[in-house]
Amino acid sequence: MRSALDCFQGQSLLPTCVLASAVRIHRLRRASASERDLLLAWGAPPFTLAVHGALYGKYFSLDPDSAPNLEFLFQRVREGWVVVTMMTEPQRSAHAGVLVEVRADESLELFDPAQPHTEQPVVVSQQTFLRHWTGELVFTTGGKNIEEK
């Protein structure tokens, strides 16, 4: 199975965090794609999880303040990778990243395409994540269950 770090794609174009997350999913599935490839296919930004991210799995828009929705998210992460959006700064657009692990202490491992390769994964506490999560997620079908060929 390919590791999450093997599939890392940093964000090289702005604003392309959804593109970079999609490239990561392509790499997980052993497909070749770059941000530029997807930019040509998708057209001009803005890119959203509801439209563009949903090309790679099942899209959900949930109430981020609901405890059952958090458990639903955790279960999806335990089964595979989950692309999420977060509002990290007021007055800015949402930022996408890929959740790859729920740790025993319920902190989360997140691959953030805006951060350098050497700083991956970013580990965030459940409380910090909940302050920023928009409730959007795309469950990438297969995720951790995709076998290396």
Side-chain angles (χ1 to χ4, degrees):
M1 182 169 55
R2 296 191 79 179
S3 76
L5 195 56
D6 289 341
C7 298
F8 177 72
Q9 171 61 49
Q11 183 176 336
S12 60
L13 306 169
L14 294 174
T16 61
C17 54
V18 173
L19 277 175
S21 297
V23 169
R24 171 179 288 279
I25 296 163
H26 276 270
R27 288 182 177 178
L28 173 70
R29 294 178 177 169
R30 295 285 194 197
S32 166
S34 69
E35 282 182 277
R36 291 195 187 282
D37 294 335
L38 293 183
L39 188 61
L40 288 172
W42 291 1
F47 304 119
T48 66
L49 281 190
V51 175
H52 301 91
L55 298 170
Y56 299 93
K58 177 80 171 139
Y59 171 79
F60 298 89
S61 180
L62 306 172
D63 175 358
D65 297 321
S66 164
N69 288 343
L70 179 63
E71 185 50 42
F72 175 82
L73 170 66
F74 277 20
Q75 185 57 43
R76 300 292 76 77
V77 175
R78 288 180 185 108
E79 295 171 10
W81 292 358
V82 178
V83 182
V84 294
T85 55
M86 298 158 291
M87 293 296 296
T88 56
E89 297 180 39
Q91 312 298 319
R92 305 265 329 246
S93 59
H95 179 64
V98 181
L99 290 174
V100 298
E101 192 72 44
V102 177
R103 293 178 162 199
D105 65 359
E106 294 196 340
S107 63
L108 301 158
E109 290 187 11
L110 170 78
F111 278 81
D112 181 348
Q115 300 298 321
H117 185 271
T118 55
E119 295 179 21
Q120 304 294 335
V122 176
V123 177
V124 295
S125 71
Q126 180 181 17
Q127 296 76 19
T128 299
F129 177 77
L130 287 175
R131 272 197 308 274
H132 300 290
W133 182 39
T134 65
E136 283 192 312
L137 68 99
V138 171
F139 176 58
T140 60
T141 317
K144 295 179 179 96
N145 301 319
I146 295 176
E147 294 297 321
E148 187 171 7
K149 295 180 181 178

